[in-house]
Every structure is written in C-alpha cells, then in structure tokens.
C-alpha cells in the first residue's frame, strides 16, 4: 500500500483541497487558477479544461456571469464583508443546467476579485435537459424566475419588450403551460 505524502503542512493542505468532497475553485479576477476533483465531478470538465479559463465557462449565460459578478463585487465593496453566498444556476460541460449554492471568500478585501475561493454544492439532483432552450431563452427564463417584467428583461438584455414576449411565448410552448406563473414554476422545478 502506497502512503500519501503529508510530510509538510503545504502537502497536507494541497491534498485536503484536491480531495475535498466539496467542489472548490480558486480564482484570480474571475479566471480559474486551481480546481479540485469535486469540481471535475460536478461540472464534467477536467482540471486542464478549467485552469486559466474564465469562470464564465461554468455559467449558463453571459448575462448570469455578468449580473452575479456585479452583485457579488458591489455587496462586498459596500459592506466590507469578505464572504458572499447565493443560489444560482450553473452549467456543466454537457450543457446540463443545475441549481447550486455558491459560497465565495475573498483573500483581498480591498479588491475582492483579485483572489477568491469558491465552493459549489448542488442543491437538488434534478437537472434540466428535457426541453432544448436557446441561449437567449435561457437568459429570458433566468429573468422570469427572478420576477422581472418584459420591459425590465428587455432593458437588461438590450432587446425590445416585444421580443421578450416572443421568447416568453416560445418558452410557454416548450414547457406546455398557459400562463407565466405556471412557466416560472416549471422552470424552477426543471432546474
């Protein structure tokens, strides 16, 4: 039997990070500089697929990546808190979208994104693959779940509110529902 080298604190710490059952990444300005094995299992990427890549790769849309990043940085700067957590949609390498609890800690409070550690824990085993959504439909669905109106969604995505209504109608057909409340419920349950 081969013994695992834990002869130094640094080796033991590295082993603890890599083998942790919790998916963890270390990021510098939202680029992944390290990822553990649990991240590989959760997201379906190899470590090599993630290192030196933008964390945007793990988000279902650019809008999610931008909005969550802005919200996180603003809250940390306003409150001076070094920790941030939320629940959000994330996306695996096979395009499966799932709901996670994300927790981040900055190691540089004066510039929160210069060095952060993040953990991700899947909230439900239910993942969404039965309805094929376009990237824009995913963006609209995200905003609908968050209670935004067509006008608000249109402003956020730089499209007209009428275009948002077209996407909403397509989503309703794909989910086979008759109203927005039922649509939101189906989206939330699907993810």
């Amino acid at each position: 039997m081969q013994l695992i080298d834990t002869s130094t604190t640094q080796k033991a710490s590295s082993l603890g990070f890599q083998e942790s059952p919790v998916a963890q990444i270390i990021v510098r300005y939202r680029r992944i500089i390290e990822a553990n094995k649990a991240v590989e299992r959760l997201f379906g990427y190899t470590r090599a697929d993630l290192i030196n890549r933008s964390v945007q790769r793990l988000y279902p849309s650019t809008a999610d990546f931008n909005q969550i990043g802005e919200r996180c940085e603003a809250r940390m700067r306003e409150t001076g808190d070094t920790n941030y957590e939320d629940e959000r949609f994330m996306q695996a390498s096979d395009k499966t979208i799932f709901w996670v609890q994300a927790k981040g800690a900055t190691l540089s409070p004066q510039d929160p994104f210069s060095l952060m550690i993040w953990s991700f824990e899947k909230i439900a085993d239910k993942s969404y693959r039965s309805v094929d959504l376009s990237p824009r439909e995913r963006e609209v669905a995200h905003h609908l779940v968050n209670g935004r109106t067509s006008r608000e969604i249109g402003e956020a995505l730089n499209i007209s509110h009428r275009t948002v209504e077209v996407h909403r109608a397509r989503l309703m057909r794909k989910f086979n529902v008759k109203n927005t409340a039922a649509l939101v419920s189906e989206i939330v349950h699907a993810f």
Side-chain angles (χ1 to χ4, degrees):
M1 181 170 121
Q2 182 180 9
L3 292 177
I4 297 172
D5 184 3
T6 58
S7 60
T8 67
T9 303
Q10 185 175 358
K11 288 179 181 180
S13 296
S14 179
L15 176 67
F17 173 78
Q18 284 301 326
E19 299 297 331
S20 172
V22 177
Q24 299 174 344
I25 58 175
I26 301 172
V27 296
R28 179 170 281 123
Y29 294 110
R30 303 190 81 191
R31 293 188 75 74
I32 300 168
I33 59 174
E34 189 57 89
N36 70 0
K37 292 178 183 177
V39 166
E40 292 179 312
R41 290 188 299 272
L42 181 61
F43 290 98
Y45 288 105
T46 66
R47 183 178 169 275
D49 291 333
L50 296 173
I51 301 301
N52 295 319
R53 299 285 184 107
S54 171
V55 74
Q56 181 176 348
R57 176 171 261 207
L58 306 178
Y59 285 81
S61 71
T62 302
D64 285 343
F65 171 76
N66 290 335
Q67 290 168 358
I68 291 170
E70 289 166 8
R71 186 171 50 236
C72 171
E73 185 175 23
R75 186 173 306 153
M76 292 178 105
R77 287 188 185 276
E78 288 168 9
T79 65
D81 198 352
T82 58
N83 295 300
Y84 177 84
E85 70 179 81
D86 65 20
E87 293 180 0
R88 64 178 78 154
F89 293 116
M90 299 296 282
Q91 180 172 285
S93 62
D94 66 359
K95 306 300 182 206
T96 300
I97 297 172
F98 52 94
W99 193 246
V100 301
Q101 180 173 26
K103 295 180 180 180
T106 183
L107 301 175
S108 52
Q110 68 285 356
D111 187 8
F113 283 169
S114 70
L115 187 60
M116 289 190 77
I117 300 171
W118 285 93
S119 70
F120 303 98
E121 199 167 347
K122 195 171 185 179
I123 293 174
D125 288 334
K126 208 171 191 183
S127 56
Y128 177 68
R129 289 186 53 87
S130 62
V131 175
D132 186 32
L133 301 181
S134 71
R136 180 61 86 187
E137 287 169 340
R138 278 192 219 114
E139 290 175 334
V140 170
H142 169 75
H143 288 285
L144 288 171
V145 167
N146 286 293
R148 294 192 176 91
T149 66
S150 292
R151 286 200 187 280
E152 291 169 333
I153 296 169
E155 288 173 12
L157 300 178
N158 270 340
I159 58 177
S160 76
H161 72 279
R162 291 175 195 231
T163 302
V164 172
E165 290 299 325
V166 169
H167 289 297
R168 181 192 311 254
R170 286 182 187 152
L171 287 166
M172 289 172 76
R173 276 195 306 278
K174 286 183 176 186
F175 282 97
N176 195 27
V177 295
K178 302 286 185 216
N179 59 53
T180 302
L183 175 61
V184 169
S185 177
E186 286 297 315
I187 292 169
V188 169
H189 288 3
F191 289 101

